[in-house]
Amino acid sequence: MYVIIDDRENVATSYIGGLDREGVSSVGFSSAEFLEWLESASEDDLSAIDAFLLGDCDTRATLPRTVRKRCRAPIIALSNMRMLKHTVELFDAGVDDVVHVPIHPREILARTAAISRRGFGKSADGRQGAIRVFFDGRDPEIGGAVMTLPRRELRILEHMVGQQGKWLTKTQIFNAVYGIFESTFDENVIESHVSKLRKKLRDRLGYDPIVSRRYVGYRLDASKEVSVDDTTRDLRTLGILAKQAPSRLRPILT
């Protein structure tokens, strides 16, 4: 989820629309509203944020350091002025990157991914085992081949890869995919998305890379080669062969 801070409501709305077309949730704040929300935001809410987009606001010079006290997500400044002095001032204020508008939402996604890889622990190429994601709207590579996924399933997969095998609750995934202020959908919708994603990955890879545990959540483990389902199927097959085998061979198979 992206948080856009801009005192011009129409500008924030424009970025929200552009990110939504890329399948990425976002929310816009004025600078005053944002500081009020930041003070009371929970750790779970802050962990769902992919990046902050800092537009035109009165607190621009001090806001990045205020944000950094509570959240490590990248801060990208949106600048209307192509002036070296202005750009240097923004970096001095504590932003991670400066982009000049207009800018395509996919470039914002790509820059966010690059910052996260450098400073916040994501793998260098968005790869986990046989799964590779790009964090910029492109379809992932699964088992060495491109797989087209619906945007919600893609966001779930990207979030799991970005968390590098950590356990994620249903609420954490929902917040990252739909946004922390979404009220139209119930978070149980995540169960359906994950179920469909697991089937597609299992069909392509031959094993289930997503581990689920009741009351804990989901975890991506794309490095394993044989899942519990595969083992069970193999044992079932062996049992069928044993029943079909001639009696003189049964002792060997049991």
Side-chain angles (χ1 to χ4, degrees):
M1 186 188 78
Y2 280 70
V3 173
I4 303 155
I5 308 134
D6 200 304
D7 288 337
R8 302 164 299 174
E9 184 177 353
N10 61 325
V11 173
T13 300
S14 175
Y15 280 105
I16 290 172
L19 290 167
D20 182 67
R21 286 189 291 274
E22 298 299 326
V24 179
S25 62
S26 59
V27 62
F29 288 103
S30 68
S31 55
E33 290 172 336
F34 172 73
L35 289 172
E36 183 178 347
W37 171 79
L38 182 66
E39 185 177 348
S40 60
S42 68
E43 293 300 322
D44 280 345
D45 287 348
L46 294 173
S47 68
I49 297 173
D50 293 300
F52 298 92
L53 302 183
L54 181 57
D56 188 8
C57 58
D58 294 335
T59 56
R60 195 168 187 167
T62 59
L63 194 146
R65 289 187 171 83
T66 303
V67 170
R68 195 56 74 223
K69 292 177 182 178
R70 294 221 56 201
C71 186
R72 299 299 300 170
I75 304 172
I76 300 175
L78 308 172
S79 175
N80 292 305
M81 295 185 288
R82 295 179 178 272
M83 296 173 57
L84 177 60
K85 179 178 180 294
H86 181 67
T87 300
V88 171
E89 287 174 349
L90 287 170
F91 278 114
D92 285 343
V95 303
D96 298 294
D97 197 2
V98 178
V99 298
H100 296 97
V101 295
I103 182 172
H104 195 282
R106 283 203 174 186
E107 183 176 341
I108 293 175
L109 300 182
R111 287 178 177 272
T112 301
I115 296 168
S116 297
R117 287 196 301 267
R118 291 195 303 266
F120 304 103
K122 286 183 181 177
S123 60
D125 60 355
R127 186 187 299 274
Q128 188 168 348
I131 296 174
R132 184 184 184 190
V133 297
F134 300 96
F135 303 103
D136 61 4
R138 283 182 286 170
D139 291 321
E141 293 180 0
I142 310 297
V146 174
M147 173 182 282
T148 300
L149 292 173
R151 63 182 189 173
R152 302 300 186 194
E153 294 174 25
L154 173 59
R155 286 292 292 158
I156 290 173
L157 184 61
E158 288 177 339
H159 190 59
M160 287 185 168
V161 172
Q163 293 301 312
Q164 296 185 330
K166 296 178 183 177
W167 284 102
L168 299 170
T169 66
K170 183 167 57 178
T171 300
Q172 287 175 316
I173 297 174
F174 181 86
N175 289 344
V177 174
Y178 283 92
I180 58 179
F181 298 104
E182 174 58 53
S183 59
T184 305
F185 298 94
D186 187 273
E187 67 178 30
N188 288 326
V189 72
I190 292 299
E191 295 178 4
S192 175
H193 288 321
V194 172
S195 177
K196 294 174 182 177
L197 176 61
R198 292 177 78 169
K199 183 180 185 303
K200 292 170 185 176
L201 296 177
R202 183 168 59 245
D203 289 346
R204 173 66 64 87
L205 298 173
Y207 62 91
D208 189 352
I210 297 178
V211 183
S212 61
R213 184 175 297 172
R214 194 175 184 183
Y215 305 124
V216 177
Y218 302 95
R219 179 170 64 87
L220 184 67
D221 184 8
S223 61
K224 63 181 182 178
E225 297 180 354
V226 180
S227 68
V228 174
D229 290 343
D230 294 331
T231 303
T232 303
R233 185 169 56 250
D234 291 342
L235 291 173
R236 188 183 301 118
T237 302
L238 183 58
I240 293 173
L241 291 175
K243 291 179 180 179
Q244 295 176 345
S247 57
R248 64 178 182 276
L249 294 180
R250 287 180 185 173
I252 300 175
L253 296 173
T254 57

